[in-house]
Amino acid sequence: MSDRTRFAPWGTPGLGDPSRTVPPAALRCGRGPMLPFGAGRSYGDSCALAGGHLIDGRPDAVIHDFDPATGTITADAGVPLAALLARIAPTHILPVLPGTQFATLGGAIANDVHGKNHHWRGSFGAFVSEIILRRSDVAGAIRLRPGMALFAATVGGMGMTGRIERARLRVLPVAGTDVRESATRPSCR
């Protein structure tokens, strides 16, 4: 991460106000309105909060586990997608890739991002198998799984259900690193 970290939504001028950021532990201290902030790659003002604090989950975010046999990876929400790709390649790939590798895992879930293969793979949330969520009104972490109402509200929920702390994601195996190409010359008749 550069020393010029953005704390403003993508497409807005300036770097935002880093003095408004607080560490994730602040969620348990009740410092007034707070909103999780990833990499600032969302369009518009989705990660802007007037009169409140942004919870920056990127510092100290790590990948906890990658199991190639089951095709699952567990990481903190602040881990960039580029880091996930670097860890699972060349044997696996993320099933849905948005237009930027700089988005965070938590941001990809909170926005339920899509890729160029959306028409047949669906969106990012379809491959999330577990979310660890922190809320200001509940002591401790909440473990969410597909089929739970709060899981459904969190995937694509833009951070409104709480702060995604960690997630487990299913990744796809890659058959090989070779690419098969087929070219057909057009007829000029």
Side-chain angles (χ1 to χ4, degrees), residues 79-95:
V79 171
L81 297 182
L84 293 176
L85 285 168
R87 177 67 177 89
I88 64 176
T91 61
H92 290 75
I93 191 164
L94 294 174

Side-chain angles (χ1 to χ4, degrees), residues 5-9 14-18 20-21 37-38 47 54 56 58:
T5 302
R6 289 183 56 86
F7 290 100
L15 298 174
D17 182 3
R20 291 186 42 231
T21 62
F37 184 89
C47 50
L54 300 174
D56 187 2
R58 294 170 292 176

Side-chain angles (χ1 to χ4, degrees), residues 104-113 124-125 128 130-131 154-157 164 167:
T104 61
L105 174 59
I109 295 169
N111 287 277
D112 198 13
V113 298
F124 200 85
V128 177
E130 183 177 79
I131 296 171
T154 300
V155 174
I164 298 171

Side-chain angles (χ1 to χ4, degrees), residues 26-151:
L27 184 63
R28 295 184 284 277
C29 300
R31 291 189 180 186
M34 291 184 228
L35 186 67
F37 184 89
R41 293 294 171 153
S42 300
Y43 293 104
D45 61 357
S46 64
C47 50
L49 178 63
H53 296 282
L54 300 174
I55 303 170
D56 187 2
R58 294 170 292 176
D60 304 320
V62 297
I63 297 171
H64 293 278
D65 181 53
F66 171 51
D67 185 349
T70 62
T72 58
I73 188 165
T74 304
D76 292 335
V79 171
L81 297 182
L84 293 176
L85 285 168
R87 177 67 177 89
I88 64 176
T91 61
H92 290 75
I93 191 164
L94 294 174
V96 175
L97 292 167
T100 177
Q101 64 180 342
F102 302 113
T104 61
L105 174 59
I109 295 169
N111 287 277
D112 198 13
V113 298
H114 65 88
K116 299 297 183 191
N117 59 352
H118 186 82
H119 59 287
W120 60 289
R121 285 275 185 228
S123 59
F124 200 85
F127 296 91
V128 177
S129 56
E130 183 177 79
I131 296 171
I132 304 299
L133 188 73
R134 292 264 181 195
R135 295 176 52 99
S136 60
D137 62 342
V138 177
I142 304 168
R143 187 177 307 270
L144 305 176
R145 292 198 171 87
M148 298 171 71
L150 191 53
F151 180 95

Side-chain angles (χ1 to χ4, degrees), residues 160-184:
M160 296 292 108
T161 61
R163 183 179 67 85
I164 298 171
E165 186 170 271
R166 185 178 296 174
R168 179 173 295 127
L169 181 66
R170 293 185 322 276
V171 295
L172 300 177
V174 174
T177 57
D178 296 332
V179 175
R180 184 176 301 169
E181 177 186 359
S182 174
T184 305

